Amino acid sequence: MSALEAEALTRRFGGLTAVADVSLSIAVGELHAVIGPNGAGKSTLVNLLSGTLPPSSGRFRLGGQDVTGWPSWRLAQAGIGRSFQRTNVLREMSVFENVRLAAQAAGFAPGLWLRRAKRAAAPIEAARAALARVGLEREGIAGTLSHGELRLLEIAMALATHPRVLLLDEPLAGMGPEEGERVAALLKELARDHAVLLIEHDMDFVFAVADSMTVMVDGRVLEQGTPTAIRASDAVREAYLGTDA
């Protein structure tokens, strides 16, 4: 069964159609990249899948359950974790507190039948595990981190909510080669037990890590398939990748 399945998702803003009839399916263990030129509708698609925006039409299922129109907080509780195109951390707070608050805000704490102390400990344990997985130290203020470390912190914040699906919007933006290699290795590892949807403009990175791909142009799906098939597509080369791809 697909962890995430979108069927003909469409989003209109007045007379502008930002996303038109986009369908895709991602399973746990799969890293699916969505690529396309600026203005193709990629970030709007992530906003639809994360509940930040409601669709104008179409359906969206999570683990087989129809979650179309659910708000972002409810989708986070149901298993959607996301990072943003621009880092969304509280820079004046500690690294650990950013992740703990993410876990707590997503409602990860167990139900009321558990003792209060155990409920309070759950976000703390989730934060510790998430930071260990991305390789960040708990100490220090978030604002002192490098750009690459801030990206890792945001991924840790998503992981602390215990998601089944990770939506990552340009996690490599502004990174150098060494930091990019670190994130590439992390994403490959995360894709083993999550369904990962990745938006990224670094094509070398995308073709190195993706299992499957969707190419969007003008809000619509131009092509879907394996990285090999996408690279060989004349339509994709003409619309986006160029003749040297």
Side-chain angles (χ1 to χ4, degrees), residues 42-53 72 75-76 79-86 88 102 151 153-159 161 163 165-170 197 199:
K42 304 182 299 296
S43 290
T44 301
L45 176 63
V46 170
N47 286 334
L48 294 174
L49 296 174
S50 64
T52 305
L53 289 173
S72 57
L75 286 173
I80 293 282
R82 73 164 293 182
S83 70
F84 293 81
Q85 193 171 19
R86 295 182 179 178
N88 190 35
R151 290 288 179 181
L153 173 57
E154 195 165 36
I155 293 173
M157 290 165 65
L159 288 174
T161 67
V165 177
L166 283 169
L167 309 175
L168 305 178
D169 195 349
E170 297 191 35
L197 185 145
I199 292 177

PDB file of all heavy atoms in Angstrom, residues 42-53 72 75-76 79-86 88 102 151 153-159 161 163 165-170 197 199:
ATOM      1  N   LYS A  42       5.722  23.285  -7.596  1.00  0.00           N
ATOM      2  CA  LYS A  42       6.270  22.265  -6.695  1.00  0.00           C
ATOM      3  C   LYS A  42       5.979  22.594  -5.230  1.00  0.00           C
ATOM      4  O   LYS A  42       5.496  21.728  -4.482  1.00  0.00           O
ATOM      5  CB  LYS A  42       7.792  22.139  -6.931  1.00  0.00           C
ATOM      6  CG  LYS A  42       8.186  21.832  -8.358  1.00  0.00           C
ATOM      7  CD  LYS A  42       9.685  21.684  -8.520  1.00  0.00           C
ATOM      8  CE  LYS A  42      10.483  22.912  -8.157  1.00  0.00           C
ATOM      9  NZ  LYS A  42      10.198  24.084  -9.050  1.00  0.00           N
ATOM     10  N   SER A  43       6.292  23.800  -4.797  1.00  0.00           N
ATOM     11  CA  SER A  43       6.062  24.162  -3.395  1.00  0.00           C
ATOM     12  C   SER A  43       4.573  24.220  -3.074  1.00  0.00           C
ATOM     13  O   SER A  43       4.159  23.880  -1.955  1.00  0.00           O
ATOM     14  CB  SER A  43       6.731  25.500  -3.071  1.00  0.00           C
ATOM     15  OG  SER A  43       8.151  25.362  -3.064  1.00  0.00           O
ATOM     16  N   THR A  44       3.763  24.637  -4.041  1.00  0.00           N
ATOM     17  CA  THR A  44       2.320  24.616  -3.820  1.00  0.00           C
ATOM     18  C   THR A  44       1.839  23.188  -3.616  1.00  0.00           C
ATOM     19  O   THR A  44       0.973  22.927  -2.763  1.00  0.00           O
ATOM     20  CB  THR A  44       1.588  25.254  -5.015  1.00  0.00           C
ATOM     21  OG1 THR A  44       2.032  26.601  -5.182  1.00  0.00           O
ATOM     22  CG2 THR A  44       0.082  25.258  -4.787  1.00  0.00           C
ATOM     23  N   LEU A  45       2.399  22.244  -4.360  1.00  0.00           N
ATOM     24  CA  LEU A  45       2.050  20.837  -4.176  1.00  0.00           C
ATOM     25  C   LEU A  45       2.378  20.376  -2.759  1.00  0.00           C
ATOM     26  O   LEU A  45       1.565  19.702  -2.106  1.00  0.00           O
ATOM     27  CB  LEU A  45       2.791  19.975  -5.193  1.00  0.00           C
ATOM     28  CG  LEU A  45       2.603  18.461  -5.057  1.00  0.00           C
ATOM     29  CD1 LEU A  45       1.143  18.070  -5.265  1.00  0.00           C
ATOM     30  CD2 LEU A  45       3.506  17.716  -6.031  1.00  0.00           C
ATOM     31  N   VAL A  46       3.549  20.732  -2.253  1.00  0.00           N
ATOM     32  CA  VAL A  46       3.920  20.368  -0.881  1.00  0.00           C
ATOM     33  C   VAL A  46       2.965  21.011   0.117  1.00  0.00           C
ATOM     34  O   VAL A  46       2.569  20.387   1.108  1.00  0.00           O
ATOM     35  CB  VAL A  46       5.381  20.780  -0.591  1.00  0.00           C
ATOM     36  CG1 VAL A  46       5.700  20.637   0.894  1.00  0.00           C
ATOM     37  CG2 VAL A  46       6.342  19.927  -1.395  1.00  0.00           C
ATOM     38  N   ASN A  47       2.570  22.248  -0.140  1.00  0.00           N
ATOM     39  CA  ASN A  47       1.626  22.907   0.755  1.00  0.00           C
ATOM     40  C   ASN A  47       0.270  22.198   0.762  1.00  0.00           C
ATOM     41  O   ASN A  47      -0.410  22.140   1.795  1.00  0.00           O
ATOM     42  CB  ASN A  47       1.449  24.372   0.367  1.00  0.00           C
ATOM     43  CG  ASN A  47       2.646  25.225   0.738  1.00  0.00           C
ATOM     44  OD1 ASN A  47       3.392  24.904   1.661  1.00  0.00           O
ATOM     45  ND2 ASN A  47       2.855  26.309   0.011  1.00  0.00           N
ATOM     46  N   LEU A  48      -0.130  21.646  -0.367  1.00  0.00           N
ATOM     47  CA  LEU A  48      -1.364  20.877  -0.419  1.00  0.00           C
ATOM     48  C   LEU A  48      -1.226  19.578   0.374  1.00  0.00           C
ATOM     49  O   LEU A  48      -2.120  19.194   1.140  1.00  0.00           O
ATOM     50  CB  LEU A  48      -1.737  20.557  -1.870  1.00  0.00           C
ATOM     51  CG  LEU A  48      -2.113  21.742  -2.762  1.00  0.00           C
ATOM     52  CD1 LEU A  48      -2.319  21.267  -4.200  1.00  0.00           C
ATOM     53  CD2 LEU A  48      -3.367  22.428  -2.253  1.00  0.00           C
ATOM     54  N   LEU A  49      -0.100  18.891   0.190  1.00  0.00           N
ATOM     55  CA  LEU A  49       0.103  17.601   0.841  1.00  0.00           C
ATOM     56  C   LEU A  49       0.322  17.734   2.346  1.00  0.00           C
ATOM     57  O   LEU A  49       0.093  16.778   3.092  1.00  0.00           O
ATOM     58  CB  LEU A  49       1.290  16.877   0.206  1.00  0.00           C
ATOM     59  CG  LEU A  49       1.136  16.489  -1.266  1.00  0.00           C
ATOM     60  CD1 LEU A  49       2.441  15.907  -1.808  1.00  0.00           C
ATOM     61  CD2 LEU A  49      -0.007  15.499  -1.460  1.00  0.00           C
ATOM     62  N   SER A  50       0.755  18.903   2.788  1.00  0.00           N
ATOM     63  CA  SER A  50       0.990  19.112   4.220  1.00  0.00           C
ATOM     64  C   SER A  50      -0.182  19.782   4.919  1.00  0.00           C
ATOM     65  O   SER A  50      -0.149  19.986   6.138  1.00  0.00           O
ATOM     66  CB  SER A  50       2.247  19.955   4.432  1.00  0.00           C
ATOM     67  OG  SER A  50       2.080  21.251   3.883  1.00  0.00           O
ATOM     68  N   GLY A  51      -1.215  20.159   4.163  1.00  0.00           N
ATOM     69  CA  GLY A  51      -2.378  20.789   4.770  1.00  0.00           C
ATOM     70  C   GLY A  51      -2.272  22.283   4.950  1.00  0.00           C
ATOM     71  O   GLY A  51      -3.173  22.908   5.514  1.00  0.00           O
ATOM     72  N   THR A  52      -1.179  22.892   4.489  1.00  0.00           N
ATOM     73  CA  THR A  52      -1.043  24.341   4.575  1.00  0.00           C
ATOM     74  C   THR A  52      -2.063  25.034   3.680  1.00  0.00           C
ATOM     75  O   THR A  52      -2.566  26.114   4.005  1.00  0.00           O
ATOM     76  CB  THR A  52       0.376  24.775   4.173  1.00  0.00           C
ATOM     77  OG1 THR A  52       1.321  24.069   4.987  1.00  0.00           O
ATOM     78  CG2 THR A  52       0.586  26.264   4.361  1.00  0.00           C
ATOM     79  N   LEU A  53      -2.364  24.400   2.549  1.00  0.00           N
ATOM     80  CA  LEU A  53      -3.396  24.877   1.636  1.00  0.00           C
ATOM     81  C   LEU A  53      -4.397  23.748   1.387  1.00  0.00           C
ATOM     82  O   LEU A  53      -3.988  22.597   1.236  1.00  0.00           O
ATOM     83  CB  LEU A  53      -2.789  25.289   0.288  1.00  0.00           C
ATOM     84  CG  LEU A  53      -1.948  26.560   0.215  1.00  0.00           C
ATOM     85  CD1 LEU A  53      -1.310  26.657  -1.167  1.00  0.00           C
ATOM     86  CD2 LEU A  53      -2.805  27.792   0.486  1.00  0.00           C
ATOM     87  N   SER A  72      -3.158  21.279   8.671  1.00  0.00           N
ATOM     88  CA  SER A  72      -1.773  20.832   8.835  1.00  0.00           C
ATOM     89  C   SER A  72      -1.530  20.153  10.173  1.00  0.00           C
ATOM     90  O   SER A  72      -0.792  19.169  10.250  1.00  0.00           O
ATOM     91  CB  SER A  72      -0.815  22.019   8.658  1.00  0.00           C
ATOM     92  OG  SER A  72      -1.132  23.057   9.565  1.00  0.00           O
ATOM     93  N   LEU A  75      -2.808  16.593   9.984  1.00  0.00           N
ATOM     94  CA  LEU A  75      -1.954  15.766   9.136  1.00  0.00           C
ATOM     95  C   LEU A  75      -0.630  15.451   9.833  1.00  0.00           C
ATOM     96  O   LEU A  75      -0.090  14.352   9.671  1.00  0.00           O
ATOM     97  CB  LEU A  75      -1.694  16.460   7.795  1.00  0.00           C
ATOM     98  CG  LEU A  75      -2.872  16.470   6.823  1.00  0.00           C
ATOM     99  CD1 LEU A  75      -2.549  17.334   5.610  1.00  0.00           C
ATOM    100  CD2 LEU A  75      -3.214  15.054   6.376  1.00  0.00           C
ATOM    101  N   ALA A  76      -0.110  16.397  10.607  1.00  0.00           N
ATOM    102  CA  ALA A  76       1.115  16.134  11.364  1.00  0.00           C
ATOM    103  C   ALA A  76       0.890  15.011  12.368  1.00  0.00           C
ATOM    104  O   ALA A  76       1.734  14.120  12.526  1.00  0.00           O
ATOM    105  CB  ALA A  76       1.576  17.409  12.078  1.00  0.00           C
ATOM    106  N   GLY A  79       0.840  11.655  10.567  1.00  0.00           N
ATOM    107  CA  GLY A  79       2.075  11.083  10.035  1.00  0.00           C
ATOM    108  C   GLY A  79       2.752  11.834   8.916  1.00  0.00           C
ATOM    109  O   GLY A  79       3.597  11.285   8.223  1.00  0.00           O
ATOM    110  N   ILE A  80       2.435  13.123   8.742  1.00  0.00           N
ATOM    111  CA  ILE A  80       3.107  13.954   7.743  1.00  0.00           C
ATOM    112  C   ILE A  80       4.106  14.862   8.453  1.00  0.00           C
ATOM    113  O   ILE A  80       3.740  15.637   9.339  1.00  0.00           O
ATOM    114  CB  ILE A  80       2.107  14.827   6.963  1.00  0.00           C
ATOM    115  CG1 ILE A  80       1.195  13.973   6.090  1.00  0.00           C
ATOM    116  CG2 ILE A  80       2.854  15.856   6.111  1.00  0.00           C
ATOM    117  CD1 ILE A  80       1.809  13.485   4.812  1.00  0.00           C
ATOM    118  N   GLY A  81       5.375  14.779   8.069  1.00  0.00           N
ATOM    119  CA  GLY A  81       6.396  15.700   8.556  1.00  0.00           C
ATOM    120  C   GLY A  81       6.959  16.468   7.376  1.00  0.00           C
ATOM    121  O   GLY A  81       7.087  15.910   6.289  1.00  0.00           O
ATOM    122  N   ARG A  82       7.297  17.741   7.574  1.00  0.00           N
ATOM    123  CA  ARG A  82       7.804  18.527   6.446  1.00  0.00           C
ATOM    124  C   ARG A  82       8.884  19.495   6.897  1.00  0.00           C
ATOM    125  O   ARG A  82       8.972  19.878   8.067  1.00  0.00           O
ATOM    126  CB  ARG A  82       6.685  19.294   5.761  1.00  0.00           C
ATOM    127  CG  ARG A  82       6.145  20.488   6.541  1.00  0.00           C
ATOM    128  CD  ARG A  82       5.322  21.421   5.645  1.00  0.00           C
ATOM    129  NE  ARG A  82       6.147  22.067   4.637  1.00  0.00           N
ATOM    130  CZ  ARG A  82       5.688  22.961   3.755  1.00  0.00           C
ATOM    131  NH1 ARG A  82       4.401  23.285   3.748  1.00  0.00           N
ATOM    132  NH2 ARG A  82       6.496  23.530   2.876  1.00  0.00           N
ATOM    133  N   SER A  83       9.720  19.851   5.937  1.00  0.00           N
ATOM    134  CA  SER A  83      10.647  20.968   6.114  1.00  0.00           C
ATOM    135  C   SER A  83      10.272  22.027   5.090  1.00  0.00           C
ATOM    136  O   SER A  83       9.531  21.768   4.141  1.00  0.00           O
ATOM    137  CB  SER A  83      12.103  20.526   5.921  1.00  0.00           C
ATOM    138  OG  SER A  83      12.353  20.208   4.557  1.00  0.00           O
ATOM    139  N   PHE A  84      10.798  23.233   5.281  1.00  0.00           N
ATOM    140  CA  PHE A  84      10.385  24.366   4.464  1.00  0.00           C
ATOM    141  C   PHE A  84      11.521  24.858   3.578  1.00  0.00           C
ATOM    142  O   PHE A  84      12.701  24.623   3.854  1.00  0.00           O
ATOM    143  CB  PHE A  84       9.878  25.503   5.351  1.00  0.00           C
ATOM    144  CG  PHE A  84       8.603  25.180   6.084  1.00  0.00           C
ATOM    145  CD1 PHE A  84       8.637  24.431   7.253  1.00  0.00           C
ATOM    146  CD2 PHE A  84       7.382  25.592   5.600  1.00  0.00           C
ATOM    147  CE1 PHE A  84       7.466  24.118   7.936  1.00  0.00           C
ATOM    148  CE2 PHE A  84       6.202  25.278   6.272  1.00  0.00           C
ATOM    149  CZ  PHE A  84       6.247  24.549   7.439  1.00  0.00           C
ATOM    150  N   GLN A  85      11.132  25.589   2.514  1.00  0.00           N
ATOM    151  CA  GLN A  85      12.116  26.135   1.590  1.00  0.00           C
ATOM    152  C   GLN A  85      13.059  27.085   2.327  1.00  0.00           C
ATOM    153  O   GLN A  85      14.256  27.111   2.072  1.00  0.00           O
ATOM    154  CB  GLN A  85      11.394  26.853   0.459  1.00  0.00           C
ATOM    155  CG  GLN A  85      12.270  27.204  -0.731  1.00  0.00           C
ATOM    156  CD  GLN A  85      11.446  27.719  -1.892  1.00  0.00           C
ATOM    157  OE1 GLN A  85      10.297  28.140  -1.734  1.00  0.00           O
ATOM    158  NE2 GLN A  85      12.016  27.688  -3.069  1.00  0.00           N
ATOM    159  N   ARG A  86      12.504  27.856   3.248  1.00  0.00           N
ATOM    160  CA  ARG A  86      13.315  28.708   4.117  1.00  0.00           C
ATOM    161  C   ARG A  86      13.257  28.116   5.515  1.00  0.00           C
ATOM    162  O   ARG A  86      12.187  27.751   5.994  1.00  0.00           O
ATOM    163  CB  ARG A  86      12.773  30.144   4.123  1.00  0.00           C
ATOM    164  CG  ARG A  86      12.878  30.824   2.766  1.00  0.00           C
ATOM    165  CD  ARG A  86      12.382  32.242   2.816  1.00  0.00           C
ATOM    166  NE  ARG A  86      12.514  32.899   1.532  1.00  0.00           N
ATOM    167  CZ  ARG A  86      12.122  34.149   1.292  1.00  0.00           C
ATOM    168  NH1 ARG A  86      11.572  34.863   2.271  1.00  0.00           N
ATOM    169  NH2 ARG A  86      12.275  34.676   0.086  1.00  0.00           N
ATOM    170  N   ASN A  88      12.775  27.167   9.166  1.00  0.00           N
ATOM    171  CA  ASN A  88      11.662  27.583  10.013  1.00  0.00           C
ATOM    172  C   ASN A  88      11.958  27.223  11.466  1.00  0.00           C
ATOM    173  O   ASN A  88      11.202  26.510  12.108  1.00  0.00           O
ATOM    174  CB  ASN A  88      10.379  26.894   9.529  1.00  0.00           C
ATOM    175  CG  ASN A  88       9.144  27.448  10.183  1.00  0.00           C
ATOM    176  OD1 ASN A  88       9.052  28.627  10.463  1.00  0.00           O
ATOM    177  ND2 ASN A  88       8.181  26.573  10.445  1.00  0.00           N
ATOM    178  N   ALA A 102       8.711  20.920  18.512  1.00  0.00           N
ATOM    179  CA  ALA A 102       8.097  20.340  17.314  1.00  0.00           C
ATOM    180  C   ALA A 102       7.363  19.057  17.661  1.00  0.00           C
ATOM    181  O   ALA A 102       6.234  18.815  17.216  1.00  0.00           O
ATOM    182  CB  ALA A 102       9.160  20.085  16.248  1.00  0.00           C
ATOM    183  N   ARG A 151      19.541  23.256   8.313  1.00  0.00           N
ATOM    184  CA  ARG A 151      18.739  22.354   7.489  1.00  0.00           C
ATOM    185  C   ARG A 151      18.576  20.999   8.189  1.00  0.00           C
ATOM    186  O   ARG A 151      17.489  20.412   8.192  1.00  0.00           O
ATOM    187  CB  ARG A 151      19.384  22.170   6.121  1.00  0.00           C
ATOM    188  CG  ARG A 151      19.340  23.397   5.231  1.00  0.00           C
ATOM    189  CD  ARG A 151      17.939  23.650   4.741  1.00  0.00           C
ATOM    190  NE  ARG A 151      17.860  24.828   3.901  1.00  0.00           N
ATOM    191  CZ  ARG A 151      16.751  25.295   3.361  1.00  0.00           C
ATOM    192  NH1 ARG A 151      15.602  24.670   3.598  1.00  0.00           N
ATOM    193  NH2 ARG A 151      16.753  26.378   2.618  1.00  0.00           N
ATOM    194  N   LEU A 153      18.706  20.528  11.384  1.00  0.00           N
ATOM    195  CA  LEU A 153      17.840  20.766  12.534  1.00  0.00           C
ATOM    196  C   LEU A 153      16.373  20.718  12.107  1.00  0.00           C
ATOM    197  O   LEU A 153      15.531  20.120  12.802  1.00  0.00           O
ATOM    198  CB  LEU A 153      18.164  22.119  13.176  1.00  0.00           C
ATOM    199  CG  LEU A 153      17.234  22.587  14.292  1.00  0.00           C
ATOM    200  CD1 LEU A 153      17.156  21.561  15.424  1.00  0.00           C
ATOM    201  CD2 LEU A 153      17.681  23.951  14.824  1.00  0.00           C
ATOM    202  N   GLU A 154      16.061  21.309  10.969  1.00  0.00           N
ATOM    203  CA  GLU A 154      14.677  21.300  10.525  1.00  0.00           C
ATOM    204  C   GLU A 154      14.213  19.883  10.181  1.00  0.00           C
ATOM    205  O   GLU A 154      13.068  19.510  10.435  1.00  0.00           O
ATOM    206  CB  GLU A 154      14.498  22.221   9.320  1.00  0.00           C
ATOM    207  CG  GLU A 154      13.042  22.529   9.042  1.00  0.00           C
ATOM    208  CD  GLU A 154      12.867  23.692   8.099  1.00  0.00           C
ATOM    209  OE1 GLU A 154      13.675  23.836   7.167  1.00  0.00           O
ATOM    210  OE2 GLU A 154      11.905  24.450   8.288  1.00  0.00           O
ATOM    211  N   ILE A 155      15.107  19.072   9.617  1.00  0.00           N
ATOM    212  CA  ILE A 155      14.760  17.673   9.360  1.00  0.00           C
ATOM    213  C   ILE A 155      14.536  16.941  10.686  1.00  0.00           C
ATOM    214  O   ILE A 155      13.610  16.134  10.822  1.00  0.00           O
ATOM    215  CB  ILE A 155      15.850  16.989   8.527  1.00  0.00           C
ATOM    216  CG1 ILE A 155      15.888  17.599   7.115  1.00  0.00           C
ATOM    217  CG2 ILE A 155      15.607  15.483   8.431  1.00  0.00           C
ATOM    218  CD1 ILE A 155      17.040  17.106   6.262  1.00  0.00           C
ATOM    219  N   ALA A 156      15.369  17.233  11.677  1.00  0.00           N
ATOM    220  CA  ALA A 156      15.183  16.625  12.999  1.00  0.00           C
ATOM    221  C   ALA A 156      13.841  17.018  13.592  1.00  0.00           C
ATOM    222  O   ALA A 156      13.161  16.194  14.227  1.00  0.00           O
ATOM    223  CB  ALA A 156      16.314  17.042  13.935  1.00  0.00           C
ATOM    224  N   MET A 157      13.430  18.264  13.405  1.00  0.00           N
ATOM    225  CA  MET A 157      12.137  18.722  13.914  1.00  0.00           C
ATOM    226  C   MET A 157      10.998  17.935  13.271  1.00  0.00           C
ATOM    227  O   MET A 157      10.014  17.589  13.921  1.00  0.00           O
ATOM    228  CB  MET A 157      11.976  20.219  13.668  1.00  0.00           C
ATOM    229  CG  MET A 157      12.902  21.068  14.530  1.00  0.00           C
ATOM    230  SD  MET A 157      13.045  22.797  13.969  1.00  0.00           S
ATOM    231  CE  MET A 157      11.370  23.380  14.239  1.00  0.00           C
ATOM    232  N   ALA A 158      11.143  17.633  11.981  1.00  0.00           N
ATOM    233  CA  ALA A 158      10.130  16.819  11.302  1.00  0.00           C
ATOM    234  C   ALA A 158      10.145  15.388  11.825  1.00  0.00           C
ATOM    235  O   ALA A 158       9.102  14.790  12.078  1.00  0.00           O
ATOM    236  CB  ALA A 158      10.360  16.846   9.801  1.00  0.00           C
ATOM    237  N   LEU A 159      11.333  14.835  12.018  1.00  0.00           N
ATOM    238  CA  LEU A 159      11.456  13.454  12.485  1.00  0.00           C
ATOM    239  C   LEU A 159      10.903  13.272  13.898  1.00  0.00           C
ATOM    240  O   LEU A 159      10.392  12.197  14.232  1.00  0.00           O
ATOM    241  CB  LEU A 159      12.920  13.014  12.457  1.00  0.00           C
ATOM    242  CG  LEU A 159      13.545  12.776  11.090  1.00  0.00           C
ATOM    243  CD1 LEU A 159      15.036  12.489  11.234  1.00  0.00           C
ATOM    244  CD2 LEU A 159      12.847  11.625  10.382  1.00  0.00           C
ATOM    245  N   THR A 161       8.302  14.239  15.134  1.00  0.00           N
ATOM    246  CA  THR A 161       6.858  14.018  15.135  1.00  0.00           C
ATOM    247  C   THR A 161       6.502  12.587  14.754  1.00  0.00           C
ATOM    248  O   THR A 161       5.320  12.251  14.654  1.00  0.00           O
ATOM    249  CB  THR A 161       6.160  14.983  14.164  1.00  0.00           C
ATOM    250  OG1 THR A 161       6.520  14.668  12.810  1.00  0.00           O
ATOM    251  CG2 THR A 161       6.555  16.434  14.459  1.00  0.00           C
ATOM    252  N   PRO A 163       6.920  10.809  11.771  1.00  0.00           N
ATOM    253  CA  PRO A 163       6.126  10.762  10.547  1.00  0.00           C
ATOM    254  C   PRO A 163       6.295   9.451   9.787  1.00  0.00           C
ATOM    255  O   PRO A 163       7.317   8.780   9.894  1.00  0.00           O
ATOM    256  CB  PRO A 163       6.695  11.921   9.726  1.00  0.00           C
ATOM    257  CG  PRO A 163       8.145  11.942  10.120  1.00  0.00           C
ATOM    258  CD  PRO A 163       8.157  11.595  11.590  1.00  0.00           C
ATOM    259  N   VAL A 165       5.552   9.909   6.444  1.00  0.00           N
ATOM    260  CA  VAL A 165       5.876  10.599   5.194  1.00  0.00           C
ATOM    261  C   VAL A 165       6.656  11.862   5.527  1.00  0.00           C
ATOM    262  O   VAL A 165       6.266  12.632   6.414  1.00  0.00           O
ATOM    263  CB  VAL A 165       4.603  10.963   4.414  1.00  0.00           C
ATOM    264  CG1 VAL A 165       4.949  11.740   3.151  1.00  0.00           C
ATOM    265  CG2 VAL A 165       3.793   9.710   4.073  1.00  0.00           C
ATOM    266  N   LEU A 166       7.760  12.091   4.812  1.00  0.00           N
ATOM    267  CA  LEU A 166       8.555  13.312   4.949  1.00  0.00           C
ATOM    268  C   LEU A 166       8.455  14.116   3.659  1.00  0.00           C
ATOM    269  O   LEU A 166       8.731  13.598   2.571  1.00  0.00           O
ATOM    270  CB  LEU A 166      10.024  12.979   5.219  1.00  0.00           C
ATOM    271  CG  LEU A 166      10.395  12.536   6.623  1.00  0.00           C
ATOM    272  CD1 LEU A 166      11.822  11.990   6.643  1.00  0.00           C
ATOM    273  CD2 LEU A 166      10.264  13.704   7.610  1.00  0.00           C
ATOM    274  N   LEU A 167       8.064  15.389   3.780  1.00  0.00           N
ATOM    275  CA  LEU A 167       8.005  16.309   2.652  1.00  0.00           C
ATOM    276  C   LEU A 167       9.130  17.325   2.840  1.00  0.00           C
ATOM    277  O   LEU A 167       9.090  18.127   3.777  1.00  0.00           O
ATOM    278  CB  LEU A 167       6.652  17.023   2.608  1.00  0.00           C
ATOM    279  CG  LEU A 167       5.402  16.141   2.681  1.00  0.00           C
ATOM    280  CD1 LEU A 167       4.153  17.016   2.756  1.00  0.00           C
ATOM    281  CD2 LEU A 167       5.334  15.196   1.493  1.00  0.00           C
ATOM    282  N   LEU A 168      10.122  17.287   1.973  1.00  0.00           N
ATOM    283  CA  LEU A 168      11.321  18.110   2.145  1.00  0.00           C
ATOM    284  C   LEU A 168      11.441  19.080   0.975  1.00  0.00           C
ATOM    285  O   LEU A 168      11.656  18.680  -0.175  1.00  0.00           O
ATOM    286  CB  LEU A 168      12.566  17.223   2.223  1.00  0.00           C
ATOM    287  CG  LEU A 168      12.528  16.131   3.302  1.00  0.00           C
ATOM    288  CD1 LEU A 168      13.798  15.292   3.259  1.00  0.00           C
ATOM    289  CD2 LEU A 168      12.333  16.739   4.692  1.00  0.00           C
ATOM    290  N   ASP A 169      11.315  20.375   1.273  1.00  0.00           N
ATOM    291  CA  ASP A 169      11.316  21.413   0.244  1.00  0.00           C
ATOM    292  C   ASP A 169      12.691  22.066   0.168  1.00  0.00           C
ATOM    293  O   ASP A 169      13.059  22.880   1.011  1.00  0.00           O
ATOM    294  CB  ASP A 169      10.241  22.451   0.572  1.00  0.00           C
ATOM    295  CG  ASP A 169       9.920  23.357  -0.612  1.00  0.00           C
ATOM    296  OD1 ASP A 169      10.652  23.320  -1.602  1.00  0.00           O
ATOM    297  OD2 ASP A 169       8.909  24.084  -0.534  1.00  0.00           O
ATOM    298  N   GLU A 170      13.468  21.671  -0.830  1.00  0.00           N
ATOM    299  CA  GLU A 170      14.811  22.201  -1.106  1.00  0.00           C
ATOM    300  C   GLU A 170      15.733  22.126   0.108  1.00  0.00           C
ATOM    301  O   GLU A 170      16.252  23.141   0.578  1.00  0.00           O
ATOM    302  CB  GLU A 170      14.724  23.632  -1.633  1.00  0.00           C
ATOM    303  CG  GLU A 170      13.996  23.746  -2.965  1.00  0.00           C
ATOM    304  CD  GLU A 170      14.149  25.105  -3.609  1.00  0.00           C
ATOM    305  OE1 GLU A 170      15.235  25.708  -3.467  1.00  0.00           O
ATOM    306  OE2 GLU A 170      13.198  25.556  -4.252  1.00  0.00           O
ATOM    307  N   LEU A 197       9.211  12.622  -0.017  1.00  0.00           N
ATOM    308  CA  LEU A 197       9.005  13.448  -1.195  1.00  0.00           C
ATOM    309  C   LEU A 197       9.971  14.617  -1.106  1.00  0.00           C
ATOM    310  O   LEU A 197       9.971  15.352  -0.121  1.00  0.00           O
ATOM    311  CB  LEU A 197       7.566  13.939  -1.293  1.00  0.00           C
ATOM    312  CG  LEU A 197       7.221  14.726  -2.564  1.00  0.00           C
ATOM    313  CD1 LEU A 197       5.783  14.448  -3.005  1.00  0.00           C
ATOM    314  CD2 LEU A 197       7.414  16.236  -2.377  1.00  0.00           C
ATOM    315  N   ILE A 199      11.748  18.028  -2.976  1.00  0.00           N
ATOM    316  CA  ILE A 199      11.847  19.066  -4.001  1.00  0.00           C
ATOM    317  C   ILE A 199      13.258  19.620  -3.954  1.00  0.00           C
ATOM    318  O   ILE A 199      13.755  19.982  -2.884  1.00  0.00           O
ATOM    319  CB  ILE A 199      10.832  20.193  -3.752  1.00  0.00           C
ATOM    320  CG1 ILE A 199       9.420  19.680  -3.967  1.00  0.00           C
ATOM    321  CG2 ILE A 199      11.106  21.377  -4.671  1.00  0.00           C
ATOM    322  CD1 ILE A 199       8.354  20.701  -3.681  1.00  0.00           C
TER     323      ILE A 199
END
